[in-house]
Amino acid sequence: MPRPSPSLIAVLCLSAGLGACASDRFEGPKTRAPGPRAEFEAPVAAIPSGTVTAAPLAPPPGASASPDAPPPPPPPGPVAGLNPSAPAVVAEPVTPPPPPPPVTTTGRAAVVGGWDARDATGASCRVTLSSTPSLDLYKASTSGCSNKELGRVSAWDYRDGEVYLYQPGGSVAARLRQGGAGLDGALTKSGASLALNR
């Protein structure tokens, strides 16, 4: 028969010791010597109780028993947590800020776009001032102009508050100044008046 290893012997001893402790703990209640605690350990007889009945709880004070009923009005008097002697603070109505003033564009950006041109004879046509650069000027075009000076406009510029309309070759066809919602001026060669309106 093989000899048991020391670790197996240790495990067996430990198991035996725990078993002895466990058997000592679970043997059952031991009798105690009578003393001051003995009177408290005596069994107590149960007291008979009345019958228990179930019923729905009553609604809290101020609440209606019906779930469809509207909530009751708040009780009169000061609200709990507020100082009754303090004066009531009334919030002033908030007025919206005034709208910002309309942005008025001046200068070159204000004159970019399409215009209805009318010369001194009453003839009208369309002049378009583009924001596309063309060398040191900006592109312009006309359509339906019976006036030859105005019909040949191909470029424009804005300098010192005035709009200059140019013909091919760089000659100035007209000079106009902003006046109200439009441009007022004259054709350079003939001196006839010219007005551009939106």
Side-chain angles (χ1 to χ4, degrees):
M1 179 172 178
R3 189 173 179 184
S5 67
S7 60
L8 181 60
I9 293 172
V11 169
L12 289 174
C13 289
L14 184 60
S15 299
L18 288 174
C21 291
S23 64
D24 193 31
R25 281 181 62 201
F26 296 110
E27 286 179 357
K30 295 185 178 180
T31 57
R32 295 188 184 179
R37 292 188 56 184
E39 62 189 56
F40 296 111
E41 293 179 357
V44 178
I47 300 173
S49 62
T51 56
V52 177
T53 59
L57 293 175
S64 173
S66 170
D68 297 331
V79 178
L82 296 179
N83 185 357
S85 62
V89 178
V90 177
E92 293 184 22
V94 178
T95 55
V103 178
T104 55
T105 347
T106 56
R108 184 176 286 114
V111 297
V112 171
W115 296 88
D116 291 322
R118 186 173 299 275
D119 64 11
T121 64
S124 63
C125 64
R126 188 81 176 151
V127 175
T128 303
L129 306 179
S130 170
S131 60
T132 306
S134 174
L135 297 176
D136 56 344
L137 303 173
Y138 293 90
K139 290 185 179 181
S141 62
T142 61
S143 62
C145 294
S146 58
N147 185 303
K148 291 182 181 177
E149 288 182 74
L150 195 56
R152 295 185 61 219
V153 169
S154 61
W156 72 280
D157 196 12
Y158 183 88
R159 290 193 319 263
D160 301 325
E162 287 188 317
V163 175
Y164 290 80
L165 302 180
Y166 292 91
Q167 294 175 344
S171 61
V172 177
R175 289 173 60 178
L176 303 123
R177 185 171 286 278
Q178 282 183 301
L183 300 170
D184 295 315
L187 294 167
T188 308
K189 192 171 184 182
S190 65
S193 64
L194 178 67
L196 271 63
N197 293 293
R198 294 285 190 190

